Amino acid sequence: MELTDRKKKVLRSVVDLYIRTAEPVGSKAITELPDMKFSSATIRNEMADLTNMGYLEQPHTSAGRIPSAAGYRLYVDELMMDYRLSMDETKSINQAIEEKMQRVDKMVEKVAKLVSQATELPAISAASRQRSLTIQRYDLILAGAGSIILVLMLSEDQLVNKLIKLPVEISEADLKLLGAVLNATMTEIPVEGFTRELMDKVMRSAGAAASLVPVVVDFAVDTLRSSGGTNLAIAGQSRLLGLPEYRDVDKAQKILETIDEEALSNLPAVMQDTNGTKVLVGPENVADELKDSSVVVTKFDIGDGMQGMIGVVGPTRMDYAKVTARLSYFAESLSKMFAKPEQPQLPEPDNNDSIGGTNRGE
């Protein structure tokens, strides 16, 4: 039996109504729809045919119909209308993401200070993504005369959007073509994959909307770079001045200039394939400037595809057992904190050397 356009229209109406009401749908409910111009008898016949074809089911003899698994499959593949996020929806989602990132930023700064207090050494705290984000879908929505909303759905279910002023008049059909080309060629690729050659290829296929492609690509690249970066905080650098190794002013100044975000930015990458705590002694460090120092780092899970890292920088004669024990305690506590819906307070440092290990003394 042929699945005509009318049958598809009836099936789509049944699915839409059932999604909204969770009640079996009868022919009367369909005939009352404003875009349904067929008689009740015609609708009943079409619903009977759809039932025989396996797209609808009838739970009870006198009840209406509900979609079958095959009916849902056809609906998803061919029949459902595109859902356009409202401005309020996109704003709400973006606010939730921004609040999450602000909490992470504050956490990174606070943890660095706490670790420095607990170890009496300069401390590092970082949060980074365990894997690179990619764009899963592009949506282009007309937002009135002369502008559109570009919506990017990122991996890990993040949404970002941008209001774009149109340089030329572009129709709904032009936007659909551009969206189809973008979704076919520029999804699930790392930021390095957004090459000039790929952009030129998309522009050649985008028709009247080709002038929008560079704007879309720039926003996509900026979004991936900013979303996939590492938040890094350093605290307690001045604590080195109290150590015998750095009583020499020139040596102290050199090490203090070294302990900055640029010199330590590679540490999260060093930890990617490491479990537990990593100790970098002298020349083993990622920065030449730290070859006369030691760095101890460990990591913890933040959730939402993010990973945290804490560590300290100090002289090579540091008490490694005490430092690693304290860092491990912090990491374990932070992992538990982020695993819970309601986050408890961060562990407060104290003056007892037995945090997470035995009392070894100074």
Side-chain angles (χ1 to χ4, degrees):
M1 188 180 298
E2 181 183 0
L3 192 61
T4 62
D5 290 342
R6 187 166 66 190
K7 283 184 172 60
K8 291 180 180 179
K9 189 173 184 179
V10 171
L11 176 59
R12 183 174 64 198
S13 299
V14 172
V15 177
D16 287 339
L17 287 170
Y18 186 63
I19 288 173
R20 289 204 302 266
T21 66
E23 296 290 340
V25 179
S27 58
K28 182 179 179 182
I30 295 179
T31 57
E32 292 174 351
L33 295 174
D35 63 338
M36 197 64 64
K37 307 300 182 182
F38 311 112
S39 67
S40 181
T42 300
I43 298 298
R44 283 197 297 272
N45 290 335
E46 295 291 15
M47 292 177 71
D49 289 344
L50 288 166
T51 303
N52 292 333
M53 296 169 72
Y55 293 110
L56 296 179
E57 296 175 350
Q58 191 171 19
H60 307 288
T61 305
S62 59
R65 265 68 166 188
I66 64 173
S68 67
Y72 281 123
R73 180 74 269 164
L74 181 64
Y75 176 82
V76 170
D77 290 344
E78 299 183 25
L79 306 180
M80 69 178 179
M81 305 294 288
D82 290 338
Y83 180 80
R84 292 187 174 183
L85 293 172
S86 67
M87 290 294 290
D88 286 342
E89 286 176 302
T90 56
K91 183 179 180 181
S92 176
I93 293 169
N94 285 334
Q95 283 178 341
I97 295 170
E98 185 176 348
E99 288 172 2
K100 170 71 176 180
M101 297 312 296
Q102 287 176 349
R103 289 198 299 271
V104 171
D105 289 343
K106 291 179 180 177
M107 177 276 297
V108 168
E109 294 176 5
K110 186 174 182 180
V111 167
K113 292 177 181 178
L114 289 170
V115 173
S116 179
Q117 291 172 21
T119 60
E120 298 183 352
L121 290 169
I124 317 137
S125 178
S128 60
R129 296 203 167 272
Q130 297 177 15
R131 51 193 175 275
S132 298
L133 288 177
T134 59
I135 296 173
Q136 302 296 299
R137 180 178 173 84
Y138 299 81
D139 285 302
L140 297 150
I141 305 166
L142 278 175
S147 62
I148 65 168
I149 299 171
L150 168 63
V151 182
L152 305 181
M153 177 179 285
L154 309 182
S155 51
E156 301 174 8
D157 298 328
Q158 293 188 34
L159 284 178
V160 294
N161 64 63
K162 177 182 177 67
L163 181 66
I164 300 174
K165 299 296 183 180
L166 297 176
V168 295
E169 185 175 343
I170 294 177
S171 68
E172 184 86 25
D174 295 330
L175 287 181
K176 284 187 176 181
L177 173 61
L178 176 57
V181 174
L182 291 170
N183 285 311
T185 58
M186 285 191 166
T187 55
E188 299 185 358
I189 58 175
V191 66
E192 298 81 11
F194 286 80
T195 61
R196 178 71 199 186
E197 292 75 17
L198 179 59
M199 186 172 73
D200 290 343
K201 176 183 176 182
V202 173
M203 290 180 71
R204 289 193 295 270
S205 304
S211 60
L212 282 176
V213 174
V215 180
V216 172
V217 171
D218 286 346
F219 180 60
V221 169
D222 289 345
T223 297
L224 291 178
R225 284 177 176 164
S226 62
S227 299
T230 297
N231 297 327
L232 182 69
I234 304 170
Q237 295 96 315
S238 61
R239 293 181 184 276
L240 287 179
L241 300 178
L243 300 175
E245 290 87 343
Y246 305 108
R247 286 175 182 163
D248 180 274
V249 175
D250 292 336
K251 188 174 183 180
Q253 183 177 359
K254 183 178 179 181
I255 188 66
L256 288 175
E257 290 175 350
T258 296
I259 303 176
D260 59 15
E261 293 188 7
E262 184 176 354
L264 299 173
S265 60
N266 289 326
L267 284 176
V270 171
M271 292 297 294
Q272 282 296 325
D273 299 320
T274 302
N275 293 319
T277 301
K278 190 176 185 69
V279 179
L280 302 171
V281 179
E284 299 172 356
N285 278 292
V286 292
D288 290 339
E289 298 88 345
L290 297 172
K291 59 181 173 47
D292 295 325
S293 305
S294 286
V295 176
V296 183
V297 286
T298 192
K299 60 186 180 181
F300 58 93
D301 290 326
I302 296 176
D304 293 336
M306 298 192 74
Q307 187 175 83
M309 185 203 76
I310 51 176
V312 297
V313 180
T316 53
R317 68 167 184 89
M318 75 169 68
D319 190 336
Y320 294 101
K322 182 171 72 175
V323 168
T324 55
R326 290 188 168 184
L327 289 181
S328 297
Y329 176 78
F330 266 97
E332 181 180 351
S333 299
L334 289 164
S335 292
K336 290 179 180 177
M337 181 186 78
F338 281 101
K340 295 179 180 179
E342 295 184 3
Q343 298 178 358
Q345 295 295 315
L346 291 171
E348 294 291 343
D350 58 32
N351 295 322
N352 187 343
D353 287 341
S354 63
I355 294 180
T358 58
N359 189 335
R360 293 170 53 88
E362 295 295 336

